Amino acid sequence: MKKLLVIMMVLGCLFGCNKNNNIEGNEVFVTFDGYGLHNGMLKVNTTTTNEETVSIDLVSMGGNETVSDILKKNEVTSIEAVNENDIFEGWLIFKTTYTAQEDGTDLVSHTLLSNTLYTTEELLNYKVTDFNITVVAKWATLDSNLYFVEDDMMIDSDTTGAFVFHAGDGTIKLDVTNDKGLSETKQYTYWLEDGQSIADLLTSDMWQSFTNVECEGKTFSGWQLYEATAVRWNEKKSTSSIEQSFEYDVDNVDFKYIILENCTSVDGLKTTEDVVNMKNYSKVYYAVAMWK
C-alpha cells in the first residue's frame, strides 16, 4: 500500500498560528483535503514547488473572496485530487469549527453545508464569507454522509464503542468484493452500537472485512487487545494521567498518536475470529497485531 505523505502546507500563515473560528480582521481558513482516510491525496502546484499531500491550509480575509482569489494570494497555481483506488467526482464543502481543549489542541468538527458537488471550475468561483471551510475531494465509492466519521461518529450517532485495528509491522488485507476503494491498510476502525459485534456490522455494505493479516517473513500470533472508555487521535502524545498514547500513523500529522482513556491491557492474544465475534458494550478496543 502506498504510504500517505502528509505535508501540512500552511501557506501564508506563520507556523503555530491558531485556527480560530472567526479570527480578528475576519481572517478565516480554507482547507483543501484529499481525504486521506480513504487514500485520497492532493497534487499541489505553487509558483515555487510541486507537492503531494493530504491537505493544505490557505488563509482568506473573508469578505466574499473567491477561491480563485485565495489560491492566487497563496501562490497556488493548481490543486488536483488523486486516488489510486477510486474516482474523483467533485468537491464537497464543509463548515469547519475549532474548539480549544485544555491540552492546547483543537477539537475539529465538520458540518456539510450541502450535498452539492462542485467541479474545480465551479469551486474557483465559490465565495468565502466569514467562517472556516474545508473543501474535500468526493470519491465515487464513499458516500458523503460517511466523511469525517472517524472524528464525529462517536458524538453524532448512536455508536457507543469501537474496535480500532493496527497491523503493527504487517498489513491488513481487506475484502474488495464490493469495491469500496481499499484493498489493504495498516489501520482500520469499526464503530459499534451497544451490544453489537463486528460480525453484526459486516451484514451491511458500509464496512469491509479482513481477508488476512500479513507480514513478510513473520507469522501472525494474534491480536493484543487494549480496553478503554474513550479514544481520540492527535499529533502529540497525551500528558493526561488517565490517558495512554500509542504511535498510530507516523506519516499522518493529525493521526500520529492514538490516545486511549482509562486504558488496560487484556490478557492473552485473540484470533481475528475471536475479535470479530466479540460483543461491544460501550468500550473502545485497540487491537495490535503481534508477530513471531
Side-chain angles (χ1 to χ4, degrees):
M1 181 183 71
K2 180 179 178 182
K3 286 274 190 179
L4 294 182
L5 173 64
V6 180
I7 306 171
M8 297 303 291
M9 299 168 58
V10 187
L11 303 175
C13 174
L14 295 176
F15 177 78
C17 61
N18 184 26
K19 295 180 182 178
N20 293 321
N21 297 305
N22 192 359
I23 301 172
E24 184 180 353
N26 208 36
E27 185 182 71
V28 294
F29 282 83
V30 177
T31 299
F32 277 80
D33 193 337
Y35 207 65
L37 291 174
H38 194 65
N39 279 354
M41 301 289 290
L42 300 175
K43 289 184 177 179
V44 181
N45 297 325
T46 74
T47 56
T48 57
T49 62
N50 299 314
E51 301 285 357
E52 188 172 285
T53 182
V54 171
S55 65
I56 64 170
D57 291 332
L58 307 176
V59 175
S60 167
M61 294 307 296
N64 289 317
E65 281 190 320
T66 67
V67 170
S68 178
D69 294 333
I70 295 163
L71 292 175
K72 288 177 183 177
K73 284 186 176 181
N74 289 274
E75 300 183 345
V76 177
T77 56
S78 67
I79 296 178
E80 178 187 1
V82 294
N83 192 321
E84 292 180 342
N85 304 305
D86 214 335
I87 299 171
F88 175 68
E89 291 188 321
W91 300 99
L92 293 167
I93 299 179
F94 291 78
K95 180 178 180 179
T96 310
T97 304
Y98 302 90
T99 305
Q101 303 297 292
E102 291 182 0
D103 62 2
T105 62
D106 288 330
L107 178 65
V108 185
S109 62
H110 302 86
T111 304
L112 186 62
L113 293 180
S114 75
N115 282 312
T116 301
L117 273 179
Y118 295 85
T119 66
T120 299
E121 183 176 356
E122 290 170 337
L123 182 66
L124 292 175
N125 294 317
Y126 183 88
K127 291 184 177 181
V128 177
T129 54
D130 60 351
F131 54 83
N132 301 313
I133 63 170
T134 299
V135 180
V136 186
K138 170 65 174 68
W139 303 109
T141 64
L142 188 64
D143 189 275
S144 59
N145 292 322
L146 298 180
Y147 277 73
F148 299 111
V149 294
E150 293 285 352
D151 297 332
D152 301 330
M153 188 175 285
M154 290 292 285
I155 299 172
D156 296 335
S157 78
D158 293 329
T159 58
T160 56
F163 276 99
V164 184
F165 289 86
H166 195 293
D169 294 331
T171 302
I172 297 169
K173 303 292 183 179
L174 295 170
D175 181 9
V176 294
T177 304
N178 294 316
D179 191 22
K180 297 183 181 68
L182 282 176
S183 61
E184 59 182 31
T185 184
K186 207 165 187 65
Q187 304 95 2
Y188 198 81
T189 301
Y190 296 95
W191 299 99
L192 303 97
E193 295 179 19
D194 203 44
Q196 275 190 325
S197 67
I198 295 171
D200 295 328
L201 291 184
L202 295 178
T203 59
S204 80
D205 292 334
M206 185 184 298
W207 305 93
Q208 285 178 270
S209 59
F210 297 174
T211 59
N212 204 1
V213 185
E214 299 177 356
C215 183
E216 187 175 355
K218 295 184 180 181
T219 303
F220 177 61
S221 299
W223 298 101
Q224 173 62 61
L225 292 188
Y226 298 89
E227 183 181 286
T229 55
V231 62
R232 62 188 177 92
W233 287 262
N234 201 3
E235 62 189 25
K236 298 177 182 179
K237 291 183 178 181
S238 173
T239 58
S240 170
S241 61
I242 65 168
E243 292 183 325
Q244 187 169 345
S245 305
F246 296 88
E247 196 172 82
Y248 188 74
D249 188 349
V250 295
D251 294 324
N252 191 323
V253 172
D254 296 320
F255 288 79
K256 187 170 289 187
Y257 294 98
I258 184 171
I259 298 171
L260 303 174
E261 185 177 302
N262 300 315
C263 175
T264 58
S265 177
V266 176
D267 291 338
L269 298 182
K270 306 297 182 183
T271 67
T272 300
E273 184 179 5
D274 290 337
V275 179
V276 166
N277 288 292
M278 282 179 60
K279 297 291 186 182
N280 191 314
Y281 294 95
S282 303
K283 297 291 185 182
V284 172
Y285 290 96
Y286 184 43
V288 182
M290 296 289 107
W291 305 94
K292 60 182 179 182

